[in-house]
């Protein structure tokens, strides 16, 4: 942190700014509304007719969507039914049935009840329970399900249930008290869901003037916190966007509030800046975490949609960021490739407009395309309920896209991702920074990691985030280098972990060259220069489009003896067996990938799956869950410099004519030569390490 940030954080602690915003100093209704004689009956009547504000959820639109998307409509109603039964499931934890009356402070997973004390006195990092679980419950993102179910069915059980839960929440969580108010980000995310849900329920008889008053007062307090306590300096990542989006949502949906015009101006001005900072010029997310890129984009999308529904033109910076992000994501997933997995992912939703447990990229792109009309988004979109609700704010639900040429290879230099395609094969290589801002909170130590998918199925991938608070031992390993498809030197991470969301030293990547037409990437990082003796890691990915096999060459430079490991995390659907030259991976008994190893020093192969002691050999599809998956590779204990080579041969539906045999590596000065045989064909790759991306491919 910079000296300015340290002073700012210290001043926040000593000033007690958060304590000034508790319910003890709540303004009067007249002060809140800027009116001498506020009449809540009249205010509720204006709210019911949508006067002066955007309308997202309404009965007429619900009828059209129910006819267009009957299965997703049924899923939302089923989700609302579970909520009425107090059944909640978050992340990979098992679904829980909570006791009535609902205790909003109780975490049944750890049997922990968080204290009802001023929120700034709660240390969520050292609490006995998982703060993520209790925060998720208190975000009230299930209320839009109840609102939608009421609009779809007309059954008052859903409206009554929504307001009963909201009454209970307001009673137990006065502003500034309890874990639910720990941080302005939680207030902002919750404000979006409550505001949109109550607007969807505006015609319900259960919405009385007194209820309306209590909800509006809570949302006003939330908005003020979103601005006064907004994330700054090294914390100004997706949290800041969530706080600003919450502020804007309250201002747009409740214009009767005296501060609404000022909140809207502040929120939009700051969002203009953050949209350009957090969605990079090439469309990648600045946080180096795909899950957070989608989350951040959807927060921007909510604001853009509400502005358009009100009849306004949203700021160009927000629309451009959405279109950049959509173009990047559409290019990475192509016409059916798996979603990219790198960095953290906490499964965050800006607003739950369907019942999907996870936001998948085609659904996200459909929503973006419905609002912005982005051709890239609409081309890769999967229309559904969420996009249908948002379609009223823009260009209508995207139609089935016309046939298009196959997706192309791509290099995103700002985000640092290379995508190499050939037929049904997609390769990625991470050549980007560790993460965003000085703490790089959601980045992983995965510089130069390679992933491989064929025919839409992952073979080598990122094993996921695993955990935030629930299993700290999982989190450390899944953020570390050994778990990723790169090289680990001396069993050290490329970057230095200083806390669960903090890195004290960042590996810096230098891209030496990218040649998409030839399928060549040359990059290095400096993360191991801190070792004693220091070492460097440089990787060449060589994947000619016309070749079935691809070659990865790793050079660990420096002096002294180092332990050098290559890691190849395999998808959990694959089984792995050792071969004389490497490993063979099978899916349902059929071979799908051969990994062949060689080095300029003596090596040993290894494989690990589901190891409880090291926490290696696991794959996490969802936060706080994991399953065994093979992690394979080779290890050399050698004097630097040392060169390791891996030939990856995916079989695909048509199989291959043969796999690599007699793989050999030699190094003379700056010249590296890799040779192998496939049947009667002898292959040779020559690399000049003194030059950038100098690779010669041929036969011998």
């Amino acid at each position: 942190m910079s000296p300015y940030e340290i002073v700012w954080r210290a001043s926040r602690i000593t000033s007690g700014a958060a304590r000034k915003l508790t319910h003890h100093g709540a303004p009067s209704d007249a002060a809140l509304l800027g009116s001498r004689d506020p009449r809540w009956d009249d205010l509720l009547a204006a709210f019911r007719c949508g006067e002066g504000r955007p309308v997202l959820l309404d009965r007429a639109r619900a009828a059209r969507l129910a006819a267009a998307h009957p299965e997703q409509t049924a899923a939302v109603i089923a989700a609302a039914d579970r909520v009425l039964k107090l059944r909640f499931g978050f992340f990979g934890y098992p679904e829980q049935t909570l006791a009535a009356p609902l205790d909003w402070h109780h975490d049944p997973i750890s049997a922990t009840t968080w204290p009802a004390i001023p929120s700034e006195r709660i240390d969520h990092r050292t609490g006995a329970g998982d703060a993520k679980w209790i925060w998720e419950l208190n975000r009230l993102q299930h209320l839009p399900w109840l609102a939608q179910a009421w609009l779809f069915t007309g059954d008052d059980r859903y409206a009554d249930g929504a307001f009963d839960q909201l009454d209970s929440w307001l009673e137990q969580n006065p502003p500034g008290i309890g874990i639910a108010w720990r941080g302005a980000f939680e207030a902002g995310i919750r404000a979006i869901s409550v505001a949109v849900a109550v607007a969807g329920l505006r015609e319900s008889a259960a919405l009385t003037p007194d209820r309306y008053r209590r909800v509006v007062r809570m949302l006003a307090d939330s908005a003020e916190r979103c601005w006064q306590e907004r994330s700054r300096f090294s914390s100004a990542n997706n949290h800041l966007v969530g706080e600003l989006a919450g502020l804007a949502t309250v201002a747009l949906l409740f214009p009767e509030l005296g501060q609404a015009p000022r909140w809207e101006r502040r929120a939009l001005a700051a969002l203009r800046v953050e949209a350009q900072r957090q969605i990079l010029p090439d469309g990648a997310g600045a946080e180096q975490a795909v899950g957070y890129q989608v989350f951040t984009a959807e927060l921007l999308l909510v604001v853009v949609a509400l502005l358009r529904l009100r009849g306004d033109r949203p700021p160009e910076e927000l629309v451009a960021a959405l279109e950049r992000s959509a173009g990047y994501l559409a290019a990475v997933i192509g016409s059916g490739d798996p979603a990219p997995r790198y960095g953290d992912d906490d499964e965050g939703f800006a607003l739950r407009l369907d019942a999907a447990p996870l936001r998948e990229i085609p659904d996200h792109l459909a929503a973006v395309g419905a609002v912005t009309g982005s051709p890239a988004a609409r081309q890769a979109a999967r229309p559904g309920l969420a996009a249908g609700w948002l379609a009223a704010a823009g260009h209508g639900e995207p139609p089935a896209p016309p046939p298009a040429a196959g997706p192309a290879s791509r290099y995103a230099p700002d985000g640092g991702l290379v995508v190499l395609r050939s037929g049904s094969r997609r390769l990625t290589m991470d050549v980007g920074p560790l993460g965003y801002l000085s703490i790089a909170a959601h980045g992983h130590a995965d510089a130069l990691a390679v992933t491989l998918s064929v025919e839409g199925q992952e073979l080598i991938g990122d094993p996921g985030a695993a955990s935030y608070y629930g299993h700290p031992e999982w989190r450390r390993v899944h953020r570390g280098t050994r778990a990723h498809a790169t090289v680990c030197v001396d069993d050290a991470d490329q970057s230095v972990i200083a806390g669960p969301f903090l890195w004290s030293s960042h590996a810096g990547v230098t891209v030496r060259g990218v040649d998409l037409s030839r399928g060549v990437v040359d990059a290095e990082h400096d993360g191991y220069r801190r070792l004693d003796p220091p070492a460097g890691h440089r990787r060449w990915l060589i994947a000619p489009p016309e070749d079935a096999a691809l070659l990865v060459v790793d050079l660990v430079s420096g002096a002294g003896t180092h332990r050098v490991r290559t890691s190849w995390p395999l998808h959990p659907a694959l089984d792995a067996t050792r071969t004389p030259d490497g490993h063979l991976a099978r899916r349902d008994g059929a071979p799908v990938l051969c990994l062949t190893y060689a080095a300029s020093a003596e090596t040993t192969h290894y494989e690990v799956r589901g190891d409880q002691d090291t926490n290696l050999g696991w794959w996490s599809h969802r936060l706080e869950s994991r399953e065994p998956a093979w992690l394979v590779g080779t290890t050399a204990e050698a004097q630097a410099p040392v060169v390791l080579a891996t030939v990856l041969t995916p079989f695909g539906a048509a199989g291959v004519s043969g796999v690599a045999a007699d793989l050999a590596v030699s190094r003379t000065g700056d010249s590296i030569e890799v040779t192998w045989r496939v049947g009667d064909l002898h292959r040779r790759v020559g690399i000049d390490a003194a030059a950038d991306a100098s690779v010669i491919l041929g036969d011998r």
Side-chain angles (χ1 to χ4, degrees):
M1 298 181 189
S2 69
Y4 295 105
E5 179 175 1
I6 293 171
V7 171
W8 173 75
R9 290 185 181 277
S11 68
R12 282 167 59 90
I13 295 172
T14 57
S15 68
R19 287 188 291 274
K20 295 178 182 177
L21 290 170
T22 65
H23 63 294
H24 300 297
S28 66
D29 288 354
L32 190 72
L33 297 167
S35 169
R36 291 184 178 180
D37 185 23
R39 296 180 59 85
W40 288 98
D41 287 1
D42 294 341
L43 293 171
L44 177 55
F47 181 70
R48 282 196 161 116
C49 70
E51 183 180 305
R53 68 200 83 213
V55 175
L56 178 59
L57 304 181
D58 66 30
R59 195 176 299 279
R61 198 172 300 142
R64 293 194 297 270
L65 291 175
H69 304 286
E71 292 184 2
Q72 291 193 30
T73 298
V76 166
I77 294 171
D81 287 335
R82 290 195 300 274
V83 169
L84 291 181
K85 297 175 182 176
L86 302 185
R87 290 167 55 188
F88 296 93
F90 305 123
F91 315 121
Y93 290 123
E95 185 177 78
Q96 302 292 310
T97 300
L98 305 185
L102 201 155
D103 182 349
W104 295 96
H105 303 279
H106 183 68
D107 169 11
I109 300 294
S110 61
T112 298
T113 299
W114 292 82
I117 60 176
S119 58
E120 71 272 9
R121 290 169 48 194
I122 299 174
D123 187 350
H124 61 275
R125 296 178 180 85
T126 59
D130 184 350
K132 288 291 293 177
W133 196 97
I134 202 70
W135 276 334
E136 203 71 22
L137 176 68
N138 281 274
R139 287 180 181 181
L140 304 180
Q141 292 192 313
H142 57 276
L143 293 185
W145 286 341
L146 293 169
Q148 290 173 77
W150 181 72
L151 293 170
F152 287 139
T153 66
D155 188 336
D156 286 335
R157 290 184 306 120
Y158 300 112
D160 292 342
F163 285 116
D164 287 345
Q165 289 200 18
L166 195 47
D167 288 344
S168 168
W169 191 91
L170 290 168
E171 181 180 352
Q172 294 182 37
N173 293 276
I177 300 298
I179 187 69
W181 292 97
R182 187 69 173 93
F185 178 67
E186 294 304 315
I189 298 303
R190 179 171 52 250
I192 294 171
S193 290
V194 172
V196 170
V198 171
L201 295 166
R202 64 192 175 278
E203 295 178 358
S204 168
L207 180 55
T208 63
D210 183 61
R211 273 178 165 157
Y212 185 67
R213 174 182 178 273
R214 283 184 282 125
V215 169
V216 170
R217 291 190 62 86
M218 182 273 286
L219 291 173
D221 189 279
S222 300
E224 190 65 25
R225 289 170 189 274
C226 283
W227 182 253
Q228 297 295 341
E229 300 296 316
R230 67 192 183 278
S231 301
R232 299 181 64 190
F233 296 104
S234 63
S235 298
N237 51 16
N238 69 86
H239 280 213
L240 178 56
V241 177
E243 292 150 7
L244 297 172
L247 177 63
T249 299
V250 174
L252 289 165
L253 288 177
F254 299 91
E256 61 265 37
L257 290 166
Q259 291 293 318
R262 184 183 186 192
W263 289 339
E264 182 180 338
R265 288 194 302 271
R266 283 177 164 177
L268 295 184
L271 283 171
R272 286 188 180 99
V273 175
E274 293 309 313
Q276 296 177 88
R277 287 176 175 170
Q278 299 200 36
I279 303 297
L280 299 173
D282 58 20
E287 291 198 74
Q288 292 293 307
V290 174
Y292 281 102
Q293 175 176 347
V294 172
F295 179 53
T296 298
E298 293 205 349
L299 289 166
L300 297 176
L301 186 66
V302 167
V303 177
V304 169
L306 292 177
L307 285 166
R308 283 192 165 162
L309 285 168
R310 196 179 65 176
D312 294 326
R313 183 176 179 177
E316 181 56 36
E317 295 89 344
L318 274 62
V319 177
L322 288 169
E323 293 179 338
R324 286 197 309 276
S325 173
Y328 170 86
L329 293 170
V332 176
I333 67 168
S335 55
D337 287 316
R341 285 163 51 96
Y342 55 82
D344 280 345
D345 184 356
D346 72 349
E347 307 173 15
F349 280 79
L351 178 63
R352 286 188 177 272
L353 295 175
D354 60 24
L358 300 171
R359 172 62 74 232
E360 296 187 5
I361 288 179
D363 300 319
H364 164 73
L365 293 176
V368 173
V371 175
T372 70
S374 162
R378 293 164 78 94
Q379 184 66 45
R382 183 169 58 208
L385 195 57
W389 282 115
L390 293 166
H395 295 260
E397 287 192 75
S409 296
R410 182 184 177 110
Y411 172 38
D414 304 300
L417 188 72
V418 182
V419 181
L420 299 178
R421 297 186 185 277
S422 175
S424 66
R425 182 185 75 192
R426 184 195 68 183
L427 281 161
T428 72
M429 183 165 164
D430 182 352
V431 295
L434 172 66
Y436 184 49
L437 304 176
S438 63
I439 62 174
H442 295 298
H444 288 188
D446 56 358
L448 313 188
V450 169
T451 73
L452 169 64
S453 64
V454 176
E455 296 171 354
Q457 294 184 307
E458 282 185 293
L459 301 179
I460 296 168
D462 186 299
S467 180
Y468 277 8
Y469 298 107
H471 300 87
E473 69 281 8
W474 298 3
R475 176 151 184 76
R476 184 173 187 89
V477 172
H478 276 250
R479 298 171 78 204
T481 302
R482 276 292 310 276
H484 294 89
T486 184
V487 165
C488 184
V489 178
D490 294 343
D491 297 328
D493 293 326
Q494 301 160 341
S495 300
V496 179
I497 296 174
F501 299 94
L502 173 65
W503 298 85
S504 60
S505 174
H506 299 199
V509 175
T510 300
V511 179
R512 305 288 293 267
V514 175
D515 188 334
L516 297 178
S517 63
R518 298 180 69 214
V520 174
V521 185
D522 175 7
E524 62 187 351
H525 73 83
D526 61 5
Y528 291 125
R529 297 296 182 191
R530 72 180 193 276
L531 300 181
D532 185 15
H537 175 212
R538 185 174 177 183
R539 169 167 276 189
W540 291 265
L541 172 60
I542 304 164
E546 66 276 7
D547 282 3
L550 55 109
L551 173 66
V552 178
V553 177
D554 292 297
L555 169 64
V556 175
S557 58
T561 298
H562 294 280
R563 180 182 298 108
V564 180
R565 301 182 192 270
T566 61
S567 293
W568 302 105
L570 304 181
H571 189 274
L574 305 185
D575 191 22
T577 56
R578 189 184 293 201
T579 67
D581 299 323
H583 290 92
L584 180 64
R586 294 181 173 87
R587 182 188 294 113
D588 299 328
V592 293
L593 176 66
C594 183
L595 302 94
T596 308
Y597 316 124
S600 61
E602 184 176 348
T603 62
T604 57
H605 307 336
Y606 74 89
E607 56 278 332
V608 58
R609 181 177 183 271
D611 188 276
Q612 298 279 2
D613 295 326
T614 64
N615 287 300
L616 292 169
W618 297 92
W619 190 281
S620 173
H621 286 291
R622 299 197 62 180
L623 199 66
E624 306 305 338
S625 69
R626 63 179 186 174
E627 61 180 299
W630 286 105
L631 176 68
V632 302
T634 190
T635 303
E637 189 103 21
Q639 179 80 21
V642 58
V643 180
L644 300 94
T646 305
V647 174
L648 303 172
T649 309
F651 286 74
V656 295
S657 57
V659 298
D662 302 330
L663 181 64
V665 176
S666 62
R667 185 189 67 84
T668 304
D670 291 321
S671 297
I672 298 171
E673 182 177 84
V674 182
T675 60
W676 70 95
R677 176 177 55 82
V678 179
D680 295 330
L681 180 64
H682 293 263
R683 307 303 308 272
R684 175 188 177 277
V685 172
I687 298 173
D688 180 3
D692 294 340
S694 178
V695 175
I696 299 174
L697 296 84
D699 302 331
R700 62 179 178 86

